[in-house]
């Protein structure tokens, strides 16, 4: 019986959907409530962090918060819509391939003069009228869907390098090359890590991943050496990381002010709206460094609460992946959950100077229409996956012939 149960568990993702023990139900309420909690806290804190900068930009103090609420409403509408659309829609070959190819084309267009929009030395946006967006945000979803489709379709090849791992590495490498040209280091690292996680979960061998890691590090070192003039900002950020108070009026100003904001919050914080650093001392308070204002206004207790909410989101997302109805759903849930978890970790690590500044936003908190809408869309897909759960039913052992005979004799008495 144990052997049969093990066989069912091992091959359950290869069975046709109608032959699996699949249970359809409501969305995962715990996961949904965690998303809503992060969204509500994020909007409140972004409003507090952006008020002074909105006035400094010549707008009303509620300008950024109003836009963020509008984007949140759009994102929630998409979230609820995707809760009702079967996620297997994304498993169709044309949809899965386009999910990767279209963002890839947009990443190429970003680098075309006259199409891409440059700000602070980085060309990451495409502007159409008053609407602008980062194709890298779309690629974070697209690469997850494409990888899940490829791994599910060619599962028998995933333990080989040439037919299984190599095509996915080429797909990741193309994206990484384009993102480095923008330059967008944080998105490059994030997408590469998501790809590696999916390749590993998909069945690649550990020694293959170790070899890939060594080659990637070697290539990265060579690229930095040959193009050191183009990426000299990386060295500056590393210096700011190692000694954030070395040049507080220059290169290390932002990191220094972020640490002051965190330290000023103490245990319980100064109170919502009472931040001092948001009054034009700390740059990018509405974007990459909104978590510093969370620490200042809500203190250690509030910061830990936010961190725990993100941790619970990841744990629950992996739980949904583990109980997904098929392998495609499992991989998509793992990929999208890993995206949110990794991005939150990197942002909080940057703000607290645990790692060098990579210019990465905090999901559900940082200002940005495209990012927020797509993040809520991702959560809608995960919630849809949560509606289809795999369950193993324990079968009662069949009665032996002797037991059946005894039961019949007992019935005749």
């Amino acid at each position: 019986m144990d052997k049969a149960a093990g066989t069912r568990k091992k091959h359950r993702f290869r069975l046709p959907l109608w032959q699996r023990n699949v249970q359809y139900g409501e969305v995962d309420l715990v996961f949904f409530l965690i998303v809503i909690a992060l969204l509500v806290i994020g909007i409140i804190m972004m409003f507090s962090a952006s008020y002074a900068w909105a006035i400094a930009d010549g707008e009303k103090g509620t300008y950024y918060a109003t836009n963020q609420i509008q984007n949140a409403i759009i994102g929630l509408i998409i979230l609820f819509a995707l809760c009702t659309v079967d996620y297997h829609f994304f498993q169709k070959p044309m949809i899965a391939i386009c999910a990767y190819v279209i963002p890839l084309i947009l990443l190429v267009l970003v680098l075309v003069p006259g199409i891409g929009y440059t700000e602070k030395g980085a060309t990451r946006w495409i502007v159409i009228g008053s609407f602008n967006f980062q194709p890298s945000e779309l690629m974070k979803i697209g690469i997850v869907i494409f990888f899940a489709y490829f791994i599910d379709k060619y599962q028998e090849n995933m333990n080989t390098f040439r037919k299984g791992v190599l095509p996915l590495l080429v797909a990741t490498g193309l994206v990484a090359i384009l993102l480095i040209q923008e330059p967008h280091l944080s998105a490059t690292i994030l997408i590469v890590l998501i790809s590696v996680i999916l390749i590993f979960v998909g069945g690649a061998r550990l020694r293959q991943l170790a070899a890939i890691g060594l080659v990637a590090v070697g290539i990265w070192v060579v690229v930095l050496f040959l193009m050191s003039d183009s990426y000299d900002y990386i060295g500056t950020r590393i210096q700011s990381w190692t000694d954030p108070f070395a040049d507080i009026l220059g290169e290390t100003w932002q990191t220094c002010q972020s640490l002051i904001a965190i330290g000023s919050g103490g245990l319980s914080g100064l109170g919502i709206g009472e931040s001092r650093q948001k009054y034009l001392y700390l740059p990018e308070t509405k974007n990459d460094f909104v978590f510093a204002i969370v620490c200042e206004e809500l203190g250690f207790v509030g910061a830990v609460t936010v961190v725990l909410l993100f941790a619970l989101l990841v744990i629950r997302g992996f739980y949904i992946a583990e109980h997904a109805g098929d392998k495609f759903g499992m991989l998509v849930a793992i990929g999208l959950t890993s995206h949110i978890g990794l991005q939150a970790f990197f942002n909080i690590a940057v703000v607290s100077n645990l790692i060098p500044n990579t210019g990465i936003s905090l999901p559900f908190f940082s200002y940005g229409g495209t990012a927020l809408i797509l993040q809520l869309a991702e959560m809608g897909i995960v919630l849809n996956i949560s509606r289809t759960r795999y369950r193993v039913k324990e079968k009662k052992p069949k009665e032996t012939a002797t037991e059946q005979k005894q039961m019949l004799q007992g019935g005749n008495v």
Side-chain angles (χ1 to χ4, degrees), residues 72-85:
I73 292 173
I74 296 173
L76 286 173
I77 292 173
I78 295 175
L79 180 148
F80 286 117
L82 289 174
C83 283
T84 62
V85 176

Side-chain angles (χ1 to χ4, degrees), residues 90-101 142 145-146 149 328:
F90 299 102
Q91 196 176 5
K92 296 179 180 179
M94 184 59 66
I95 301 298
I97 294 171
C98 287
Y100 172 80
V101 172
I145 293 174
F146 175 71
Y149 160 77
F328 177 77

Side-chain angles (χ1 to χ4, degrees), residues 175-194:
V175 176
I177 290 171
L178 293 172
L179 289 173
I180 290 173
Q181 296 301 313
E182 293 187 359
H184 200 172
L185 181 61
S186 61
T188 305
I189 296 173
L190 192 60
I191 287 177
V192 168
L193 287 177
I194 293 171

Side-chain angles (χ1 to χ4, degrees), residues 74 96 162 168 175 212 295 303 383:
I74 296 173
R162 185 172 63 87
L168 298 179
V175 176
I212 292 166
C295 295
L383 285 169

Side-chain angles (χ1 to χ4, degrees), residues 149-338:
Y149 160 77
F150 182 92
I151 293 171
D152 180 65
K153 184 175 182 179
Y154 301 103
Q155 178 61 53
E156 65 277 4
N157 297 329
M158 285 307 298
N159 60 351
T160 65
F161 180 78
R162 185 172 63 87
K163 294 182 178 181
V165 177
L166 183 58
L168 298 179
L169 290 180
V170 172
T172 305
L174 290 174
V175 176
I177 290 171
L178 293 172
L179 289 173
I180 290 173
Q181 296 301 313
E182 293 187 359
H184 200 172
L185 181 61
S186 61
T188 305
I189 296 173
L190 192 60
I191 287 177
V192 168
L193 287 177
I194 293 171
S195 301
V196 171
I197 289 172
L198 289 175
I199 291 172
F200 172 70
V201 175
R205 297 174 180 176
L206 283 174
R207 64 173 179 268
Q208 292 176 338
L209 294 177
I212 292 166
L214 291 174
V215 172
V217 171
I219 294 174
W220 182 253
V221 171
V222 171
V223 169
L224 290 181
F225 177 77
L226 295 177
M227 305 182 69
S228 57
D229 294 337
S230 301
Y231 299 100
D232 55 351
Y233 73 95
I234 295 178
T236 302
R237 290 184 176 182
I238 292 176
Q239 290 176 357
S240 299
W241 170 55
T242 55
D243 190 358
F245 297 96
D247 184 17
I248 59 176
L249 296 179
E251 298 295 340
T252 65
W253 171 268
Q254 190 174 41
T255 303
C256 176
Q257 297 302 318
S258 176
L259 294 176
I260 291 173
I262 294 173
S264 300
L267 180 63
S268 58
L270 303 178
I272 295 179
E274 299 299 322
S275 166
R276 304 185 188 101
Q277 293 302 114
K278 68 182 180 183
Y279 290 105
L280 312 189
Y281 291 104
L282 175 61
E284 302 297 335
T285 54
K286 68 181 185 297
N287 292 321
D288 300 349
F289 281 79
V290 64
F291 186 73
I293 306 303
V294 172
C295 295
E296 187 179 11
E297 295 189 349
L298 303 183
F300 177 78
V301 175
V304 169
T305 300
V306 172
V307 172
L308 286 177
L309 283 172
F310 277 111
L312 290 173
L313 181 77
V314 173
I315 293 171
R316 196 66 183 181
F318 285 174
Y319 171 84
I320 291 171
E322 182 184 5
H323 295 81
D326 56 7
K327 187 152 194 174
F328 177 77
M330 179 197 72
L331 291 168
V332 171
I334 287 178
L336 298 181
T337 302
S338 297

